[in-house]
Structures are given as C-alpha cells and as structure tokens.
Amino acid sequence: MILSVSRRTDIPNYYFEWFFNRIQEGFLYVRNPMNFHQISEISITPEVVDCIVFWTKNPRPMMERLDELKEYNYYFQFTLTGYGNDVEKNIPNKKTEMIPVFKELSSKIGKERVIWRYDPIFFSDRYTVEYHLKAFKSIAEALKGYTDKCVISFVDIYPKNKKNMEKLSNSNLSDSEFRNFIKELSEIAMDNDLKLSSCAEEIDLCEYGIAHNCCIDKELIEKIVGCKLKVSKDKNQRTECGCVESVEIGAYNTCKNGCAYCYANYSEKSVETNYLKYDPTSPILCGRVEEEDKVNVRKVVSLKETQLSIFDI
C-alpha cells in the first residue's frame, strides 16, 4: 500500500503530531467524504505500507521527528512558489524561511526524495509572466543541487475556488505567450540541473523537454523501496493524472495554509470549525467517532513483488 499524506490537507505542517501517534498505534480511521458516517479503519504498519508520499508547503514542524519513520520508505512533494500572502495566506516567507527548510530536508533525507512543486501557476495583473519567470529562476538557483525534479501545473477553476480566483483577476495567455513561457521555464530548469514535469495537464509539452508527471510515482517508489511493485493507475484521479493507486488519509476543509486556489476547502469558516475538533490522540483526523458511524476494516496489503520474473534476471 502507498499512503498519501495528504492531497486534502497539509498534515506535515498542522497535524504531524496526530500522524506520529497513528504511526505508533499502527492504524488510523478515514471518514468517507461522500458518506459522512462511513469510516474505514486502515492498518499503517511497516509490513503493509510500502511508501508514504507527503504533500506539504512547510514540513518544518515534523522534521525533528523524521527518525520515527526509520522503518518506512517515504518522499516529499514540497510546494514552493513565488506567491505572496495574498494567495498563500499562512505560508512563511519563501526566501528567508521556506528555501532554507527545503535545503535542510533535502540534506536530511536526500535530494531524490524531495520533489519541488511550483504549482499551480496562474496569471494576473500582479503575477505576470515576467513575475513567474523571475520567481522560478530565483527558487531554481537556490535549490540547485537540493532536488532533481520540479513539477508544474496550471490552476484549475472549481466551484470551491472560483470566487477567490476572480478576486485575484485570474487571466489567460494566448497560445504563443503560453508556449514562450513554457520554453523559458524549461531553459531555466535545464540551467539548474532540474527535470521539469507537468502535473495532470492535457497539453503535450514534450517538445520543451517537459514530461507528464506521476506524483504518486511507481518508478520513483520502486527505486526508493528497492523492488518492483504490483500497482495500477489510480482510477479515482483525473484521466490526465499519471499517479498509481494510493490510500488517502486526509480530510477536506482542514488545511490552514489559506491558499486562494485550493480545491480542498469550502471556506475559512469550515476550516476553523473543523480545526477546533482536532485531537492528536483521536484515531480520526479533526473529529471523533460518532454513535451513528459505521467502522469497516479496509483490507490493505504490501504491493511488493517478492518473486523475480524472467525480466529481472
């Protein structure tokens, strides 16, 4: 099993204590977002967890406790953009705080296990093409030697983020402007020894040296784990998404980063209400098991292929 921690909320930043308590107890509960009273009990012991994929904008709060994960394989998707607090409300200063955190994490666990995400990209009166190119170059130069890969994507408008994006005067580029932008991004990445990939984008950017990305990356995980995995594409993600199957343990409306483009929060009020329910000792994130809830044990197994095939000889 591959554990996603988490597409829905920044667990390393805000809920790391809960996560480490769950690691110690060997299981956790996940509430079904489509059926409130349906809960899955999931074993997260080293015997069944092949790899953990962390998604975060600030892993600093959990970094002193990484030794507690010594029995697990894992890597980080670390989002680091050029946006200010008008877009990413609660993220510390990128230059003085987040870039040093990225470097420290990379030094601790190895650059191949820290993926830099410069996403989602959108354009506005403030966040122009020139702004993004300058910000991307500045971060890429600072992270040179601390990561092998950068992932980009472009903002998707959902009912949950439409109002916020309209406030930011989100605008589109012409095809030629877009391609010139991509070309320059690619050149900056190459200058800084970075492999540039796109996340869940329909457009083919291979001519610019930009491949389609897999965030839950079978190839990378097999390299980290040291063996083949028997795992399929994640059918719950968009068609353009190349990720393989994983078990998501986060909860919607719990992330306090306050990003205007976020698809996982309905409103700040919902986030604050749920955050008040946070109990690091509870088996479920930001809540308690209620009388009407039904808990079912989800069957999870290791995906490791323990037998060699003729192709491995």
Side-chain angles (χ1 to χ4, degrees), residues 226-259:
C227 71
K228 297 288 186 181
L229 298 182
K230 189 175 183 179
V231 63
S232 303
K233 183 183 183 303
D234 193 337
K235 297 175 183 177
N236 294 318
Q237 302 300 322
R238 289 173 290 174
T239 304
E240 299 79 21
C241 178
C243 291
V244 294
E245 293 172 316
S246 63
V247 175
E248 170 62 49
I249 71 166
Y252 291 114
N253 294 307
T254 59
C255 187
K256 290 175 66 64
N257 284 335
C259 300

Side-chain angles (χ1 to χ4, degrees), residues 161-229:
N161 67 3
K162 184 177 181 181
K163 189 175 180 180
N164 285 338
M165 295 310 300
E166 287 175 347
K167 289 179 182 178
L168 293 167
S169 302
N170 182 40
S171 59
N172 296 317
L173 303 183
S174 68
D175 184 67
S176 61
E177 289 173 329
F178 177 78
R179 292 188 176 277
N180 285 333
F181 173 72
I182 289 296
K183 182 175 181 292
E184 291 196 54
L185 276 189
S186 179
E187 290 172 353
I188 293 169
M190 285 189 288
D191 287 344
N192 290 282
D193 302 326
L194 287 168
K195 178 183 177 182
L196 196 59
S197 299
S198 65
C199 177
E201 296 294 332
E202 290 185 28
I203 188 169
D204 187 349
L205 302 174
C206 289
E207 64 180 290
Y208 305 103
I210 302 173
H212 288 293
N213 184 60
C214 306
C215 301
I216 308 290
D217 187 340
K218 181 176 184 284
E219 184 178 335
L220 175 60
I221 294 171
E222 288 179 337
K223 183 178 179 182
I224 292 172
V225 173
C227 71
K228 297 288 186 181
L229 298 182

